[in-house]
Amino acid sequence: MKNFVFYNPTKIVFGKDQTTNIGRYVYGTKCLLLYGKASIKQNGIYDKVVESLRKNTVGFVEKGGVQSNPVLGFVHEAIDLARAEKVDSILAVGGGSVIDTAKAIACGYYYEGDVWDFFTDKAAPGDALPLYVVLTLAATASEMNSGAVITNEKTKQKFNINAESLSPKVSILDPVNTFTVSKHYTAYGCVDAMVHLLEGYFTQDDPATPLQDGFVETLVRTLKDSTLAIMKQSDDYQARADFMWAATLALNGITTAGTGKHGFPNHMIGHSLSALYDLPHGASLSIVFPAWLNHYVRDKADKLAQFGNAIFGTSDPQKTIEALKQFFNIIGAPTHLSQVNIASSDIKKIAENAVMLAKKWGLHQYTEPVIEEVLNAGA
Ligand code: NZQ
Ligand code: ZN
């Protein structure tokens, strides 16, 4: 077990009908109520949230329209609105895109320069508005971590920030809110949470971490089983609840505590697919991750055998990769660039984009030729 510091300040309020309590938790007199395009007005979550805010005399100004793969231009607009309205907190009602946008607004609010400076490491986020969350899509764990990912639509960079001040104060996890998430986004959420777990599992530098490996394997199994159940019945409460909590635990710092250094190379490459083609995050990972495993199959043979035994009942590394791909395809996640209409002749362009993030993340072994090799291993 390697040394570690684990700190996670987010209060989780989990369970059926907890959405109606959000107004009790939001601090301050006027919040920025932030949401996505249309879903929360269609499924009734907006009405529940607004009623709870009114009941608890929390004022609000609202801004809808956050797009999936959220963009910098929207963040700028929302910072202007938040300042003009003098809000004292942000309430994000949505999935990772809404929460990440809220985090960027929260720290940009107090910064005189361009908030993008935080993403390019020209400046570090300091103070931030307090953030509250009603989660409507389980996938990213943004509801219980300190990171955010935004795309600069002009430079085609999908970059992240990370700061303790960005952790939500309170996140409501009401599985009922996710009953209306489509099969596609349920599949993408499953892939995303699994890859969060497996990036660490396959790249960590401590070879002996039975406790953490056990966490990861249990969470992956839970995600797999609950996703298959949700595909049969969208309002299966038990399955939605298991899925939701597993996705949160997959990237809240718990599973990598004690595992030492680890990287996110699949996210590094996946972010370029989203930046260049607006591909949903989970779909980018279901393409990149099996390719990455193929590329490193010899290096990772022992861990692949362990993973295969735990999840798919095989200790053959190649069969394990095939079983994972098959699972992704069964739930409706793509595993090949051609399935999302990206030509393999674009691989060079993707690698040129991805290497910018490799540099930011210190993944120096991922040069352009290496990234091309990884993507070609999925061809
Ligand atoms: O915009 P609306 O109409 O609300 O529709 C959304 C959106 O189209 C819809 N949706 C959300 N809740 C729903 C629902 N539809 C029906 N019923 C509901 N209850 O789902 C679509 C996708 O939403 P989005 O928020 O984009 O999905 P997700 O939660 O997967 O977030 C993806 C973003 O998070 C980033 C990704 O890169 C991507 O930009 N990530 C954030 C991380 C973090 N902060 O820690 C880590 C991740 O690795 C990831 O990078
Ligand atoms: Zn992810």
Side-chain angles (χ1 to χ4, degrees):
M1 178 95 74
K2 302 282 187 193
N3 293 359
F4 67 89
V5 175
F6 175 75
Y7 173 67
N8 195 314
T10 302
K11 178 185 283 190
I12 296 294
V13 179
F14 189 98
K16 207 175 263 184
D17 300 331
Q18 291 298 337
T19 306
T20 54
N21 291 325
I22 185 61
R24 285 198 215 162
Y25 293 103
V26 177
Y27 156 87
T29 52
K30 194 184 201 182
C31 71
L32 175 67
L33 170 59
L34 191 74
Y35 51 90
K37 297 259 181 198
S39 70
I40 69 162
K41 293 209 170 157
Q42 287 163 354
N43 58 21
I45 298 173
Y46 174 87
D47 292 337
K48 284 185 202 170
V49 168
V50 164
E51 194 188 323
S52 179
L53 292 177
R54 293 210 167 112
K55 209 165 118 190
N56 290 277
T57 59
V58 182
F60 65 90
V61 56
E62 63 183 77
K63 185 160 175 66
V66 176
Q67 69 183 71
S68 188
N69 287 327
V71 293
L72 182 62
F74 186 99
V75 173
H76 287 151
E77 273 175 32
I79 290 173
D80 289 345
L81 175 69
R83 285 179 181 157
E85 293 284 339
K86 298 192 171 47
V87 303
D88 47 20
S89 65
I90 305 183
L91 171 56
V93 183
S97 296
V98 175
I99 305 168
D100 287 4
T101 301
K103 289 176 179 176
I105 300 164
C107 59
Y109 184 87
Y110 289 109
Y111 181 62
E112 284 182 5
D114 185 342
V115 67
W116 189 248
D117 290 351
F118 298 146
F119 291 81
T120 52
D121 301 326
K122 279 192 194 140
D127 287 346
L129 287 166
L131 171 63
Y132 302 86
V133 170
V134 174
L135 186 65
T136 69
L137 188 158
T140 65
S142 188
E143 66 278 7
M144 201 182 179
N145 69 36
S146 53
V149 189
I150 297 290
T151 300
N152 182 326
E153 61 274 49
K154 290 192 181 132
T155 61
K156 300 278 177 205
Q157 287 164 310
K158 188 173 183 185
F159 276 15
N160 68 303
I161 47 172
N162 216 298
E164 274 181 13
S165 60
L166 303 180
S167 289
K169 302 286 176 235
V170 180
S171 286
I172 296 218
L173 272 60
D174 181 343
V176 174
N177 286 345
T178 63
F179 284 178
T180 53
V181 175
S182 68
K183 284 190 176 180
H184 276 312
Y185 271 104
T186 300
Y188 302 152
C190 168
V191 173
D192 188 23
M194 279 191 179
V195 177
H196 292 158
L197 294 160
L198 297 174
E199 295 259 36
Y201 185 87
F202 283 109
T203 64
Q204 66 188 49
D205 66 359
D206 190 337
T209 54
L211 172 65
Q212 292 84 348
D213 289 2
F215 280 162
V216 168
E217 288 157 11
T218 298
L219 288 168
V220 168
R221 204 176 301 112
T222 302
L223 288 161
K224 176 170 164 277
D225 294 347
S226 55
T227 302
L228 292 171
I230 292 164
M231 292 299 165
K232 287 198 192 123
Q233 190 191 327
S234 178
D235 63 352
D236 179 334
Y237 182 82
Q238 177 72 47
R240 287 288 191 185
D242 286 343
F243 183 108
M244 191 173 222
W245 189 221
T248 299
L249 292 170
L251 196 62
N252 74 345
I254 198 91
T255 66
T256 46
T259 64
K261 265 190 162 169
H262 57 278
F264 275 71
N266 293 282
H267 276 69
M268 177 265 291
I269 302 173
H271 284 346
S272 287
L273 293 177
S274 299
L276 293 169
Y277 307 98
D278 201 20
L279 197 62
H281 177 57
S284 76
L285 296 174
S286 58
I287 293 169
V288 175
F289 188 52
W292 183 86
L293 286 173
N294 266 331
H295 183 67
Y296 291 105
V297 65
R298 280 201 205 99
D299 286 2
K300 311 281 175 199
D302 290 349
K303 205 69 188 261
L304 269 165
Q306 179 185 330
F307 177 66
N309 259 323
I311 308 298
F312 296 114
T314 174
S315 50
D316 182 294
Q318 205 64 57
K319 283 190 185 151
T320 300
I321 300 171
E322 284 313 310
L324 185 66
K325 270 175 86 168
Q326 202 185 4
F327 169 71
F328 286 168
N329 281 152
I330 286 170
I331 62 173
T335 51
H336 196 276
L337 287 174
S338 63
Q339 286 171 279
V340 292
N341 300 319
I342 298 175
S344 46
S345 54
D346 278 11
I347 284 178
K348 193 167 171 31
K349 179 171 105 180
I350 299 163
E352 275 169 21
N353 184 286
V355 86
M356 294 191 280
L357 196 50
K359 285 182 186 151
K360 174 173 152 72
W361 287 358
L363 294 169
H364 299 301
Q365 71 276 36
Y366 287 92
T367 57
E368 276 179 46
V370 172
I371 296 168
E372 285 182 43
E373 277 167 31
V374 169
L375 286 166
N376 279 317

